Amino acid sequence: MGEKKYLVADVTEKLNIPLYMLKYYEDALSISIPRNERGMRYYRRQEIELFRSVINLQKKGFELGAIKLVLDDIHRIEK
């Protein structure tokens, strides 16, 4: 059995944020979200945890621009 996949509504409920905010984070931070065979976005635990970290960093006063720089560095290191 594969990893659990969550739909947009599930993620917004888990993170307690509106749909537009989730989409905003995806766009502003250039986060690539996988899609199923019907083209619908789905989220794995790793994406949910990433968004949770972003939200926590924002609550601590970090701006999205700074968060994006950190995410870009992480992606560069992973490659």
Side-chain angles (χ1 to χ4, degrees), residues 1-11 13-14 33-36 40-49:
M1 190 164 146
E3 64 187 331
K4 183 156 176 140
K5 297 175 182 176
Y6 300 89
L7 297 176
V8 173
D10 300 323
V11 176
E13 185 177 323
K14 281 182 173 298
I33 302 298
R35 294 184 179 264
N36 65 17
M40 295 174 62
R41 294 188 315 235
Y42 68 86
Y43 302 80
R44 300 164 295 190
R45 190 168 45 109
Q46 64 196 47
E47 283 90 22
I48 295 170
E49 290 307 315

Side-chain angles (χ1 to χ4, degrees), residues 40-77:
M40 295 174 62
R41 294 188 315 235
Y42 68 86
Y43 302 80
R44 300 164 295 190
R45 190 168 45 109
Q46 64 196 47
E47 283 90 22
I48 295 170
E49 290 307 315
L50 175 63
F51 286 116
R52 188 169 278 131
S53 295
V54 168
I55 292 165
N56 287 333
L57 286 170
Q58 273 199 307
K59 286 179 181 176
K60 291 180 181 180
F62 287 86
E63 294 182 8
L64 276 184
I67 296 170
K68 181 168 179 17
L69 289 174
V70 171
L71 291 178
D72 289 346
D73 283 345
I74 291 170
H75 287 111
R76 232 184 335 270
I77 291 169

